[in-house]
Amino acid sequence: MSLASKTVGGPQLAAWLTAEMEKSGPLSLNRLHELSGVDRKTIKRICAGQRVEMRSLDKLSRGLSDAGSPVTVDDMPHD
């Protein structure tokens, strides 16, 4: 299995992303989608604690960094 197809997610990632979105303004689901390119449904899945592909976290890290403080994939809990 390649790293890009590895799935990650769960309650820790959901809580972390929700808190990051609040710290950034608050950052709306739509705005995070615009900044990161991650589909709105995928962002909702992450916030619900469901598993998503690792590449979604890479895109999210770039979008969150554009919205405020630098964020790397390593900063995110991978459950």
Side-chain angles (χ1 to χ4, degrees):
M1 175 186 326
S2 72
L3 185 59
S5 64
K6 178 182 174 188
T7 60
V8 294
Q12 291 178 350
L13 179 59
W16 180 88
L17 180 57
T18 302
E20 285 297 309
M21 289 173 70
E22 284 297 316
K23 281 191 337 190
S24 296
L27 187 62
S28 71
L29 184 83
N30 190 54
R31 182 69 180 139
L32 184 54
H33 158 71
E34 291 172 355
L35 290 169
S36 67
V38 176
D39 186 75
R40 287 176 202 82
K41 288 180 183 179
T42 301
I43 297 169
K44 285 182 181 180
R45 290 185 67 200
I46 295 169
C47 290
Q50 297 176 3
R51 298 183 73 76
V52 297
E53 290 185 4
M54 184 70 161
R55 67 178 172 214
S56 296
L57 295 191
D58 186 49
K59 289 180 179 181
L60 274 179
S61 70
R62 285 182 266 145
L64 288 167
S65 293
D66 288 347
S69 301
V71 176
T72 67
V73 173
D74 292 334
D75 296 331
M76 301 175 180
H78 296 140
D79 290 274

